[in-house]
Amino acid sequence: MIDLQNKDYCPTIEEVGGYVRNPVFSQFCAELMETCACREKIEYSKCSLASGWNLKFKKSGKSLCTIYPREQYFTVLLVVGRKEREPFEAMLPDCTPVLRDIYARTKEGCGQRWLMIDLEDRDELYRDVLRGIALRAGV
């Protein structure tokens, strides 16, 4: 198994999927790339809250989300910025109580909310997160 803290070895997306050991990770990445016409970039983060290798998804230079691999699940960082705020909040009533709660508990800073969402199943929360990313991508 790969060591996500080893900054000297950049893993492939397949190796990251092997680390996560949950097929939802690969499904989510594939669906995200297809829906938003974006690509992943594997980067090493020295951030004390989530150090190690992660995947950033960007479209036309704009960051759509960051995925932090965990064992058996993964965490998606979805930034809701000024441009997305109104359509995202309009979408919230149709979202899962979990996502509504995460949004409500996340403090706004500089006109943004940085939502940290754990995914392990291909369920309604999975769909809501993809919808939120698609809003950010302008799809």
Side-chain angles (χ1 to χ4, degrees):
M1 183 182 322
I2 62 168
D3 177 5
L4 292 180
Q5 300 303 315
N6 180 359
K7 64 180 177 180
D8 296 324
Y9 178 75
C10 178
T12 65
I13 193 169
E14 292 80 15
E15 288 173 317
V16 173
Y19 174 85
V20 174
R21 293 188 324 274
N22 183 332
V24 173
F25 171 80
S26 298
Q27 293 167 351
F28 185 84
C29 292
E31 198 165 342
L32 178 59
M33 287 186 275
E34 183 179 323
T35 303
C36 298
C38 62
R39 296 295 311 159
E40 86 282 353
K41 183 174 183 186
I42 300 173
E43 294 184 354
Y44 189 83
S45 172
K46 294 180 183 176
C47 173
S48 60
L49 295 175
S51 66
W53 291 101
N54 60 56
L55 288 83
K56 294 189 185 306
F57 288 84
K58 296 181 179 185
K59 179 178 182 178
S60 303
K62 180 179 183 174
S63 177
L64 301 181
C65 71
T66 302
I67 296 179
Y68 299 94
R70 315 285 191 217
E71 291 188 45
Q72 300 298 317
Y73 72 101
F74 54 100
T75 301
V76 177
L77 167 61
L78 171 58
V79 178
V80 179
R82 286 183 179 98
K83 291 180 182 176
E84 301 86 23
R85 181 180 181 176
E86 195 174 307
F88 191 88
E89 288 180 354
M91 177 185 89
L92 273 177
D94 296 328
C95 292
T96 62
V98 172
L99 186 61
R100 290 194 307 264
D101 183 57
I102 291 170
Y103 188 80
R105 287 186 293 113
T106 303
K107 292 186 188 319
E108 188 171 312
C110 299
Q112 300 178 325
R113 290 188 197 217
W114 291 37
L115 310 180
M116 297 293 282
I117 307 154
D118 293 336
L119 293 179
E120 60 182 310
D121 297 307
R122 195 169 183 190
D123 55 11
E124 290 178 29
L125 182 59
Y126 173 105
R127 290 278 162 230
D128 290 346
V129 172
L130 279 174
R131 286 173 54 207
I133 295 169
L135 268 178
R136 188 156 172 84
V139 185

